[in-house]
Amino acid sequence: MSTELLNSIHSPADLKHLDRRTLMRLADELRSFLLQSVSRTGGHLSSNLGTVELTVALHYVYDTPHDRIIWDVGHQSYPHKILTGRKEGMAHLRQFGGMSGFPKRSESEYDSFGTAHSSTSISAALGMAVASRNAGVSRQHIAVIGDGALTAGMVFEAMNNAGVTPDINLLVILNDNDMSISPPVGAMNRYLARLMSGQFYAAAKNVGRAVLQHVPPVLELARRFEEHAKGMVTPATLFEEMGFNYVGPIDGHDLDALIPTLQNMRALKGPQFLHVVTKKGQGYKLAEADPVLYHGPGKFDPAIGIQKSNSAPKTTFTQVFGHWLCDMADHDPRLIGITPAMREGSGMVEFDRRFPTRYFDVGIAEQHAVTFAAGIACEGQKPVVAIYSTFLQRAYDQLIHDVALQNLDVTFALDRAGLVGADGATHAGNYDIAFLRCIPNMVVATPSDENECRLLLSTCYQYPGPASVRYPRGSGCGAAVQPGLDTVPVGRGIVRRRGSKIAILVFGTLLPAAMQVADALDLSVVDMRFVKPLDQDLVREMAAGHEALVTLEEGCVMGGAGSAVAETLNQSGLVCPLLQLGLPDLFIDHGEQAALLAGVGLDAAGIEHSIRKRFYS
């Protein structure tokens, strides 16, 4: 399809000269361009195909960037980026030095708020609305949030606050596409529909009628109460009870419905709520049929769709966890698997299929996931919380107060630890070592390869207290994973190479790079396995037998594993030069993982350069 019209749009101001029919053509061109562009770079696809008309309507009706649009999560903001002068940047989307896959304030004045984690948009929009009101600035504030993100408690905290905040211009748009990333977590309207048509509701209604049928006046009163109660839990009344004026649902792909509705709502004062229904993957049949597969694809040919590779890929750490989880569940009937809306991403699809009564997807509710696990542990069962490192940050209080303080037996499988590549700083798991190792009772394990990952998962699962295993996105060095559920001693490392002068203490999957450097310089290498409890005896042995120590971790240097080694040396009264290598004190942008590691000196060449500079120059 030609993109002649789209090529003429350089900012939202250009939209305002178009009539409704021309806008529909623009939407078609925008959708076609999106498909072709993302197929060449990889990125989020289904969600962006579903928000084309909504994005066009918003920029047509509102005066952006003066009016603020906040995209919740933000993985559906590609049409927004294209219409706000960044069409050419799509060629380098999510690549090193290129455009972010999420809204980013430093990238454009049209990106009102940086997002990538879910359920923050209403809080941010409310804050902006209050600031505008206090400054006497007349502007609109629009939060676009998906039905999956609406499960988070933060949404309702914000709406509860907004409903009693006077004189604000705030519009919440629920983009209801009836599907979050993990399908078992339904949208709110689906839940309510099940509630109103479910067996419990019907049974309760019938019991009430049986009891009251001989008292007609009371029966009539009960009937009226039933109708009122039923209205109390429909979406319209639910949001209106929270102080919002509810409008909808309307077709989110119909510009003839969207534009007049938005124009009318723009004139209304106070908190407004617009419910639009869209379809993920709209306009591309393959994505419509399988929006999960096309949620975040790599490069593919749009004419034939995503094809399975004939070559056998390396086993990923996520797959190692998924296989281990099923094996351990077979072995121990007490095991309960929990994920906050990341069934696919955390490798729990097979576990869900085989152990449906022991699998819980709690939705985008990380705080609840952790305390829910704590409650399960209180009753003698053994919860395993599969969660991305970056998302565990959202449940830090629950981790400390509800799990660690009570020394409860909860195992945390931390996927996406370290740098994550194209998703960038918002999704990088750079801080878990630092924020976990300072918590009493917590075990922190750092497997160096796929087989070590399985060993440490079993070890931490058998540990009678809170324990975590962190592992990166993707595959490792390709180590063969041994079957079984063997364990290793908690808090004990292992020497992988004996050398001279310097010992490298490795925490995690940078071990192959360390071995390469050690071979070149004849150094000792230790796979520490655990950050906490740290193998202090081994640290002291290495310090006594070498002239210097080097710590290596794919996590922040500040407060990280290297700091734990420094503390041990200090407490032991040992004077030994120490070089701490890890991630610097800055947010690292998106790009290929290998390039990002090289950029911060954590590839073999960078590690060797740092060691030579410190100890050989």
Side-chain angles (χ1 to χ4, degrees):
M1 174 183 287
S2 168
T3 56
E4 180 182 357
L5 179 58
L6 179 62
N7 293 341
S8 70
I9 303 299
H10 304 291
S11 75
D14 296 327
L15 292 177
K16 301 183 187 305
H17 303 298
L18 305 180
D19 59 31
R20 196 79 52 81
R21 179 166 302 195
T22 310
L23 285 177
M24 294 176 183
R25 176 186 153 200
L26 175 66
D28 290 339
E29 290 189 13
L30 178 53
R31 179 169 283 110
S32 177
F33 175 80
L34 265 172
L35 176 59
Q36 296 300 323
S37 180
V38 175
S39 71
R40 289 192 291 267
T41 63
H44 293 99
L45 182 61
S46 297
S47 54
N48 284 289
L49 292 175
T51 57
V52 168
E53 288 84 5
L54 177 59
T55 306
V56 170
L58 284 170
H59 282 295
Y60 182 76
V61 171
Y62 290 95
D63 180 21
T64 56
H66 177 76
D67 292 334
R68 313 300 198 201
I69 301 176
I70 301 97
W71 300 92
D72 208 287
V73 180
H75 61 341
Q76 79 283 44
S77 64
Y78 298 179
H80 159 81
K81 288 174 178 270
I82 293 167
L83 295 178
T84 54
R86 287 171 279 177
K87 178 173 174 286
E88 301 306 319
M90 290 293 291
H92 303 286
L93 180 72
R94 292 159 39 102
Q95 298 171 22
F96 186 73
M99 192 164 67
S100 171
F102 300 98
K104 190 174 183 180
R105 281 172 56 84
S106 61
E107 185 179 287
S108 171
E109 62 178 338
Y110 290 93
D111 290 356
S112 302
F113 194 75
T115 53
H117 288 190
S118 87
S119 314
T120 61
S121 62
I122 303 176
S123 296
L126 175 60
M128 294 176 183
V130 168
S132 296
R133 180 200 65 187
N134 292 352
V137 177
S138 177
R139 65 161 53 99
Q140 304 296 318
H141 311 84
I142 305 100
V144 184
I145 184 168
D147 53 285
L150 208 68
T151 64
M154 188 173 177
V155 168
F156 293 94
E157 294 173 16
M159 293 184 68
N160 183 59
N161 189 186
V164 294
T165 304
D167 303 323
I168 56 170
N169 292 325
L170 175 65
L171 170 61
V172 175
I173 298 178
L174 170 58
N175 176 32
D176 183 357
N177 52 40
D178 208 29
M179 199 208 81
S180 52
I181 297 173
S182 295
V185 180
M188 176 172 289
N189 62 323
R190 291 175 65 192
Y191 164 73
L192 293 169
R194 288 198 303 271
L195 178 68
M196 302 318 301
S197 62
Q199 293 298 314
F200 175 81
Y201 180 80
K205 180 172 63 177
N206 290 334
V207 168
R209 283 177 175 166
V211 171
L212 298 174
Q213 62 182 345
H214 301 297
V215 192
V218 180
L219 178 60
E220 175 61 19
L221 177 63
R223 185 190 65 76
R224 293 181 180 179
F225 178 77
E226 174 195 347
E227 292 303 316
H228 177 70
K230 191 171 182 178
M232 286 289 288
V233 292
T234 61
T237 312
L238 172 66
F239 297 123
E240 286 178 352
E241 288 292 329
M242 298 185 76
F244 282 74
N245 174 48
Y246 176 94
V247 175
I250 65 171
D251 184 350
H253 300 298
D254 184 354
L255 287 171
D256 286 332
L258 277 172
I259 290 175
T261 301
L262 289 171
Q263 288 172 332
N264 290 337
M265 296 191 77
R266 184 179 184 181
L268 300 176
K269 299 297 183 182
Q272 306 294 319
F273 193 101
L274 174 61
H275 185 170
V276 303
V277 178
T278 62
K279 186 177 184 64
K280 272 197 172 182
Q282 173 74 11
Y284 182 48
K285 295 301 183 184
L286 295 175
E288 290 180 17
D290 194 345
V292 173
L293 178 64
Y294 287 86
H295 170 74
K299 300 176 183 180
F300 68 99
D301 183 348
I304 60 176
I306 298 172
Q307 301 294 301
K308 291 184 178 179
S309 173
N310 293 325
S311 60
K314 284 184 179 179
T315 299
T316 66
F317 284 95
T318 300
Q319 290 169 331
V320 170
F321 166 73
H323 296 154
W324 169 84
L325 188 67
C326 290
D327 292 346
M328 185 59 80
D330 265 335
H331 174 75
D332 187 350
R334 298 173 299 164
L335 186 150
I336 302 292
I338 301 167
T339 179
M342 283 292 152
R343 185 189 70 165
E344 286 78 12
S346 292
M348 298 182 74
V349 173
E350 181 65 12
F351 179 81
D352 175 24
R353 187 188 69 81
R354 290 178 55 187
F355 306 96
T357 62
R358 295 157 64 186
Y359 165 77
F360 294 91
D361 183 342
V362 301
I364 301 176
E366 294 87 358
Q367 294 173 309
H368 164 61
V370 172
T371 304
F372 175 56
I376 289 173
C378 283
E379 300 304 319
Q381 296 186 34
K382 291 180 68 69
V384 176
V385 180
I387 188 169
Y388 290 8
S389 170
T390 185
F391 296 149
L392 183 60
Q393 296 164 184
R394 310 187 79 180
Y396 195 52
D397 177 66
Q398 288 70 25
L399 181 66
I400 295 173
H401 184 273
D402 299 337
V403 175
L405 183 62
Q406 303 184 90
N407 200 25
L408 293 174
D409 190 359
V410 180
T411 303
F412 295 90
L414 305 187
D415 206 325
R416 273 60 167 181
L419 298 174
V420 294
D423 281 339
T426 56
H427 283 60
N430 298 355
Y431 312 108
D432 53 80
I433 291 177
F435 73 64
L436 287 173
R437 80 174 191 88
C438 64
I439 303 174
N441 298 326
M442 179 64 69
V443 169
V444 183
T446 57
S448 56
D449 61 34
E450 296 88 340
N451 190 58
E452 284 285 312
C453 186
R454 185 175 175 102
L455 283 170
L456 293 179
L457 282 166
S458 294
T459 302
C460 287
Y461 180 80
Q462 299 298 350
Y463 176 78
S468 61
V469 182
R470 76 184 304 261
Y471 45 89
R473 181 176 191 169
S475 56
C477 62
V481 181
Q482 300 301 314
L485 298 170
D486 296 337
T487 62
V488 301
V490 174
R492 290 290 178 267
I494 182 170
V495 178
R496 300 291 186 184
R497 187 188 191 281
R498 294 283 183 179
S500 60
K501 189 173 181 180
I502 297 170
I504 307 177
L505 311 183
V506 185
F507 298 85
T509 55
L510 296 177
L511 181 66
M515 293 293 288
Q516 184 177 334
V517 174
D519 288 341
L521 301 178
D522 188 27
L523 310 179
S524 295
V525 176
V526 181
D527 182 353
M528 293 300 295
R529 282 182 166 163
F530 294 89
V531 176
K532 186 176 184 179
L534 185 69
D535 192 340
Q536 295 184 326
D537 290 340
L538 191 52
V539 170
R540 286 189 282 263
E541 176 190 331
M542 292 296 109
H546 296 80
E547 297 177 16
L549 300 180
V550 176
T551 60
L552 186 59
E553 60 192 300
E554 192 176 337
C556 61
V557 169
M558 297 183 70
S563 296
V565 171
E567 291 161 10
T568 293
L569 295 175
N570 182 53
Q571 292 164 4
S572 303
L574 296 173
V575 178
C576 180
L578 175 65
L579 173 62
Q580 295 170 237
L581 299 180
L583 299 177
D585 184 28
L586 54 85
F587 292 112
I588 299 168
D589 230 334
H590 51 273
E592 293 186 0
Q593 284 174 276
L596 294 179
L597 285 171
V600 293
L602 292 182
D603 61 342
I607 295 165
E608 181 175 348
H609 173 77
S610 295
I611 292 174
R612 286 186 180 277
K613 182 179 180 182
R614 174 73 180 272
F615 299 114
Y616 291 89
S617 59

